[in-house]
Structures are given as structure tokens and as C-alpha cells.
């Protein structure tokens, strides 16, 4: 999940047409980062959902940082002679999140987990990514449910690593 930080400010100060231009540019920017086999959709408002297929967990951290950095360095044109710089917050989770029980979590719960990570990134200062990377030991569905019920902190769970990065 990728969310443009302080997007409402663009709409409030520059107008909704400027916001629409930012969303279009953001979509094109994300398309240039992800692979053709990946799926990118606008999830709602200023959020985008990406399904990065066959991406090992250790590469998810690198991909999230690449997205964060690329967006932060991009100059968004909001009007003919006006540009702004924006940042984004990212939350991600692997599929399957439970190595020992791949069918225990459906894709909607996986999106909830990524959204929880996104919420945590937003709550802790924005312009960062928070993600779940599978660890050496497996966690249980109960532990996953506990994590989802406490989004601001992402309660530590044996068997996973919470990765945070700030720009």
C-alpha cells in the first residue's frame, strides 16, 4: 500500500484539478518503478495498491525504499508554472504471511496487514515504509491477529521482522 503524504494540502491549496494531475503523475511514476508482471491499482483517494509478484521478502525492503526515495525526489507539476515535492508512506506484507499455513490468510486480510503497516508509517512521521518480512520461525494465525489488532505499534511477534525506514 502506498499513500501520498499530505495530499489533502494539494487539493486545498491548489484545487482538485492539481490533485488530479498529481495522482496521474504518481500513477505513471509507480508504473515506471514496478515490473510488467506486477499489478498496480489506485485503491482509493491517494492510495495505491501494488501486488509485486514473486518478490522475495528481502527484496521487498529494497523495493519499498526505492519507491519512497523516487517519490521524494520527484517534482510534481500541479499547474503550468507551479511544481511541488511530495513524499509517500508505504506498508507492505508478504504472501503468504504464514509460511506454515499459506491458506490461513486470504488476500483481503493480507491487504489489511499491509494497510496496518501503512497506518504505522503514517503515525510515526510519514515519508517511510513499514513492512513485515518473514523470519526464520513461523508465526501462528493468533499472533497475526494480535498484530492486526494493535496497528500503532505493530506488536512484536516471534517469527517476523518489522522493518522501518525513514527518509
Amino acid at each position: 500500500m502506498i499513500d501520498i503524504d499530505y495530499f489533502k494540502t494539494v487539493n486545498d491549496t491548489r484545487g482538485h484539478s492539481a490533485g488530479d494531475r498529481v495522482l496521474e503523475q504518481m500513477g505513471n511514476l509507480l508504473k515506471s518503478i514496478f515490473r510488467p508482471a506486477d499489478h498496480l491499482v489506485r485503491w482509493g483517494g491517494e492510495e495505491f495498491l501494488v501486488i509485486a509478484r514473486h518478490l522475495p521478502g528481502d527484496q521487498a525492503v529494497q523495493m519499498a525504499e526505492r519507491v519512497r526515495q523516487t517519490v521524494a525526489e520527484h517534482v510534481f507539476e500541479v499547474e503550468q508554472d507551479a511544481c511541488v515535492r511530495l513524499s509517500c508512506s508505504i506498508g507492505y506484507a508478504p504472501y503468504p504471511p504464514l509460511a506454515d499455513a499459506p491458506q490461513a490468510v486470504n488476500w483481503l486480510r493480507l491487504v489489511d496487514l499491509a494497510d496496518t503497516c501503512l497506518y504505522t508509517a503514517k503515525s510515526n512521521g510519514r515519508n517511510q515504509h513499514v513492512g513485515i518480512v518473514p523470519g526464520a520461525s513461523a508465526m501462528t494465525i493468533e499472533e497475526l491477529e494480535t498484530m492486526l489488532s494493535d496497528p500503532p505499534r505493530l506488536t512484536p511477534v516471534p517469527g517476523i521482522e518489522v522493518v522501518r525506514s525513514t527518509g
Side-chain angles (χ1 to χ4, degrees):
M1 299 286 295
I2 303 166
D3 186 81
I4 302 171
D5 296 330
Y6 303 110
F7 178 76
K8 185 176 181 324
T9 303
V10 174
N11 278 339
D12 290 350
T13 60
R14 304 284 186 166
H16 289 279
S17 60
D20 290 346
R21 283 191 284 283
V22 167
L23 290 172
E24 183 179 347
Q25 291 169 67
M26 181 69 160
N28 290 332
L29 187 62
L30 293 174
K31 284 179 194 174
S32 74
I33 295 170
F34 289 98
R35 305 162 300 176
D38 298 333
H39 299 284
L40 168 68
V41 295
R42 182 170 164 209
W43 194 245
E46 66 276 11
E47 289 185 346
F48 293 83
L49 173 68
V50 180
I51 300 170
R53 301 174 49 151
H54 310 295
L55 186 68
D58 61 335
Q59 291 181 21
V61 176
Q62 296 166 356
M63 179 63 75
E65 179 56 21
R66 181 174 171 213
V67 169
R68 188 206 63 76
Q69 189 172 23
T70 300
V71 171
E73 293 172 353
H74 186 77
V75 177
F76 291 87
E77 184 178 315
V78 291
E79 297 175 66
Q80 188 171 350
D81 295 326
C83 298
V84 296
R85 287 193 179 266
L86 299 167
S87 62
C88 69
S89 297
I90 303 164
Y92 58 93
Y95 181 83
L98 305 175
D100 292 344
Q103 303 303 319
V105 177
N106 67 26
W107 77 273
L108 289 174
R109 290 302 281 158
L110 187 66
V111 171
D112 286 346
L113 182 55
D115 197 45
T116 295
C117 292
L118 172 64
Y119 176 74
T120 302
K122 291 281 207 195
S123 297
N124 288 290
R126 294 180 167 83
N127 192 26
Q128 61 182 288
H129 52 86
V130 173
I132 307 301
V133 178
S137 61
M139 65 187 205
T140 66
I141 189 69
E142 292 80 18
E143 291 167 326
L144 180 63
E145 293 297 329
T146 297
M147 180 187 304
L148 287 170
S149 69
D150 193 12
R153 293 184 299 130
L154 277 180
T155 305
V157 176
I160 62 165
E161 177 185 1
V162 175
V163 177
R164 285 186 170 96
S165 175
T166 56

